[in-house]
Amino acid sequence: QVPLVESGGGSVQAGGSLTLSCSAIGYTANSYCMGWFRQAPGKKREGVAAIESDGRTSYADSVNGRFTISRDNAKNTLYLQMANLKPEDTAMYYCAAEYQQVVRGTVPASVPKFSNWGQGTQVTVSS
């Protein structure tokens, strides 16, 4: 598989917005669930949002209403639009992919079930 590659991270002030992108060449939409995860220093990696092969989306409670996950199948790209960012959103953000049948019913929380990961992009939110 071609590696997953995230981009779009950066530093913003609280209340600001960022959009992350993930190049997902080879991860066909009708076979794979795609997810965004994050890991802050000293904390476990956690699920943020996921989009399943049928287009259903799910979000962690902490970001619901502020973040939007989407995918452009023609561009083989996964997105995470982040609005009203808070300092507690500061983390390394990762995209991940897994066969839909492996993660069905477990997203967005199922970090261990995803086997394909990008290298991450840093998001820093200052107060």
Side-chain angles (χ1 to χ4, degrees):
Q1 293 280 19
V2 176
L4 297 165
V5 180
E6 303 94 336
S7 61
S11 297
V12 296
Q13 290 192 325
S17 301
L18 278 175
T19 296
L20 306 183
S21 302
C22 174
S23 173
I25 296 172
Y27 295 94
T28 54
N30 61 2
S31 296
Y32 284 89
C33 174
M34 302 291 298
W36 284 100
F37 299 81
R38 66 187 181 187
Q39 187 167 16
K43 294 189 177 182
K44 292 182 179 179
R45 191 170 297 189
E46 62 176 359
V48 174
I51 183 165
E52 299 187 59
S53 60
D54 61 1
R56 285 183 296 173
T57 58
S58 54
Y59 299 90
D61 290 342
S62 59
V63 307
N64 199 19
R66 299 188 297 122
F67 290 12
T68 302
I69 189 172
S70 62
R71 64 193 302 175
D72 185 328
N73 297 330
K75 296 182 178 180
N76 296 303
T77 303
L78 178 73
Y79 300 99
L80 184 68
Q81 295 174 279
M82 305 184 293
N84 190 21
L85 283 160
K86 303 176 181 180
E88 50 264 42
D89 295 318
T90 294
M92 185 72 78
Y93 282 72
Y94 300 89
C95 74
E98 187 53 73
Y99 283 113
Q100 175 63 49
Q101 59 264 35
V102 174
V103 298
R104 188 183 309 277
T106 67
V107 292
S110 52
V111 173
K113 289 185 178 292
F114 282 78
S115 59
N116 303 284
W117 293 86
Q119 293 299 304
T121 186
Q122 178 67 37
V123 172
T124 302
V125 184
S126 58
S127 57

